[in-house]
């Protein structure tokens, strides 16, 4: 079997010969550190910054570590702001902090040398006038959102492809959060329900149209994939009842479209404690959770499988923190994963991007141990 066949078999609860070694990339600072240590080339670190997941640099690093494939790096159209905003420095503070308007129109506070998510301090989406002038024109459908020449090349190589290909289906709520910020989207939901609904519907309709165009190119996708990141360590950043009412129908419309094109595995990337949103996703056709962050809340597919049965699949859930420890910690993590793999419909993968404290030789050791344990 090749990795494409293995992934499809595992997520459909069918027989397979071995478990593929799946990754989800690295912090850029991780490859910089590994390059300084001589484990990867500087050109590979720079290449990963340019190309991202599943590019040539990533494949070279994965080969050196022992990974088979990256869950990221599928193909899709542009279903977000088009064009993006020009980044603009609004203020430089005495302490060296910079206030800027980012490419999504969010006003953020940044500090040079700090590697973290910038602090949100405002948004350009301040109400209906700003929505209609600055954002709505950037969220209109146009044929150029889908690179048909790229899809034509992908389709030409479909018969020889040995890795699974995901359709990037966009974001139905996470990108809206990115435009407004956590506070902004929370206030908008309470202060202007009509505009809140209109923004959700506009984004949902655009995601549908772009995905439809991509599917009509004839490329044979193995799964579809959404990005959201709308939860944190104690729960969702949106009221689950509101999410079910306003966003759920857009998921259902899109997953029905996927089914028409033979795609019945729908993956979703959401960090944090996602349990309260799981029922909404499952009832609307999203059935594969990723990355299943172990983190401080000990997320695991096991309790979800006990509650929802085999219809819930998963990719992720491997505690990447062991890469900063020792071989004993890696061995222990492999043992923890064994009963989860036995559940079926589950592919272990480091629960998020590998951080800079990861020891290159321990990631290699994990790949070796994994292959022996699940090969």
């Amino acid at each position: 079997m090749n990795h494409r066949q293995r992934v499809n078999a595992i997520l459909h609860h069918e027989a397979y010969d071995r478990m593929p070694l799946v990754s989800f990339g690295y912090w850029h600072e991780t490859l910089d550190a590994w390059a300084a240590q001589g484990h990867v080339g500087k050109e590979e670190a720079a290449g990963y910054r340019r190309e991202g997941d599943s590019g040539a640099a990533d494949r070279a690093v994965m080969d050196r570590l022992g990974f088979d494939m990256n869950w990221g790096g599928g193909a899709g159209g542009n279903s977000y702001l088009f064009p993006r905003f020009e980044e603009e420095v609004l203020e430089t503070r005495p302490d060296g902090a910079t206030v800027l308007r980012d490419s999504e129109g969010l006003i953020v506070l940044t500090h040079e040398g700090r590697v973290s998510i910038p602090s949100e301090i405002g948004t350009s989406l301040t109400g209906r006038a700003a929505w209609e002038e600055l954002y709505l024109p950037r969220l209109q459908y146009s044929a150029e959102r889908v690179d048909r020449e790229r899809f034509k090349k992908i389709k030409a190589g479909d018969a020889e492809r040995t890795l699974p290909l995901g359709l990037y289906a966009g974001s139905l709520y996470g990108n809206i959060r990115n435009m407004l910020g956590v506070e902004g989207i929370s206030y908008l939901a309470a202060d202007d329900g009509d505009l809140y609904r209109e923004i959700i519907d506009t984004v949902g309709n655009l995601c549908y149209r772009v995905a439809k165009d991509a599917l009509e190119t004839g490329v044979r996708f193995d799964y579809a994939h959404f990005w959201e990141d709308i939860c944190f360590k104690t729960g969702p950043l949106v009221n689950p009842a509101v999410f079910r009412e306003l966003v759920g129908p857009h998921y259902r419309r899109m997953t029905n479209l996927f089914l028409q094109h033979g795609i019945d595995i729908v993956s979703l990337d959401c960090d944090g404690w996602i349990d309260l949103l799981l029922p909404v996703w499952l009832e609307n056709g999203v059935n594969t959770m990723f990355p299943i962050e172990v983190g401080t809340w000990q997320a695991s597919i096991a309790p979800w499988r006990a509650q929802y049965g085999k219809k819930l699949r998963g990719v992720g859930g491997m505690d990447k923190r062991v890469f900063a420890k020792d071989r004993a910690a890696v061995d222990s993590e492999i043992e923890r994963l064994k009963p989860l793999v036995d559940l079926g419909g589950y592919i272990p993968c480091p629960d998020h991007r590998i951080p800079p404290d990861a020891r290159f030789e321990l990631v290699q050791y994990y790949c070796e141990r994994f292959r022996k344990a699940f090969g």
Side-chain angles (χ1 to χ4, degrees), residues 45 116 147 326 365:
S116 67
D147 185 345
D326 53 29
Y365 179 69

Side-chain angles (χ1 to χ4, degrees), residues 59 117 318 320 347:
R59 290 194 297 270
I117 298 172
M318 177 269 161
K320 66 184 180 185
I347 300 173

Side-chain angles (χ1 to χ4, degrees), residues 291-304:
I292 313 180
E293 290 191 305
V294 179
T296 57
W297 47 95
Q298 299 299 303
S300 169
I301 192 174
W304 301 342

